Amino acid sequence: MWPFANLNRGSGHVRELLSLFVHPDFQRRSIGSALLSACLEDATRRGAIISNVKSVLGAEEFYERHGFVVVGSGSTTKRGVIIPDTRMQRLACEQG
């Protein structure tokens, strides 16, 4: 859907943002915020909401600034490598 993020289409209107990355050389310039806003707005236009995020460790504060809260920990396995993450959720009333 987007070249900078990965979205789990799932079923129904609730979606999960699986990844959103900004190269370290370009972090802390509001680029991530702009990209996340674009994802949220695009989902809304499509009649969906992004209420769940799998955050890489260390990015929790970024998502918290955008209304997400930590709900637990988890992991994803890619090519046999286990990657720990933080599961986060955004309340529907904060969706826009």
Side-chain angles (χ1 to χ4, degrees):
M1 179 181 275
W2 308 295
F4 51 82
N6 187 13
L7 184 69
N8 180 354
R9 296 178 192 240
S11 60
H13 71 285
V14 176
R15 302 292 188 262
E16 179 179 42
L17 187 63
L18 301 175
S19 59
L20 174 73
F21 294 99
V22 174
H23 189 280
D25 291 348
F26 298 96
Q27 291 177 355
R28 305 232 177 255
R29 299 182 187 182
S30 298
I31 295 169
S33 295
L35 295 176
L36 179 59
S37 291
C39 292
L40 296 170
E41 290 169 12
D42 186 59
T44 299
R45 278 194 300 277
R46 295 171 186 265
I49 59 171
I50 297 173
S51 65
N52 301 308
V53 168
K54 287 184 181 177
S55 171
V56 296
L57 300 180
E60 297 89 353
E61 186 178 316
F62 167 79
Y63 288 109
E64 287 172 342
R65 285 195 311 267
H66 294 280
F68 290 88
V69 295
V70 173
V71 294
S73 60
S75 64
T76 302
T77 303
K78 297 217 179 193
R79 298 183 182 142
V81 177
I82 298 172
I83 304 166
D85 59 41
T86 301
R87 306 300 164 99
M88 302 185 76
Q89 200 167 52
R90 190 173 191 218
L91 300 176
C93 64
E94 296 185 29
Q95 290 292 322

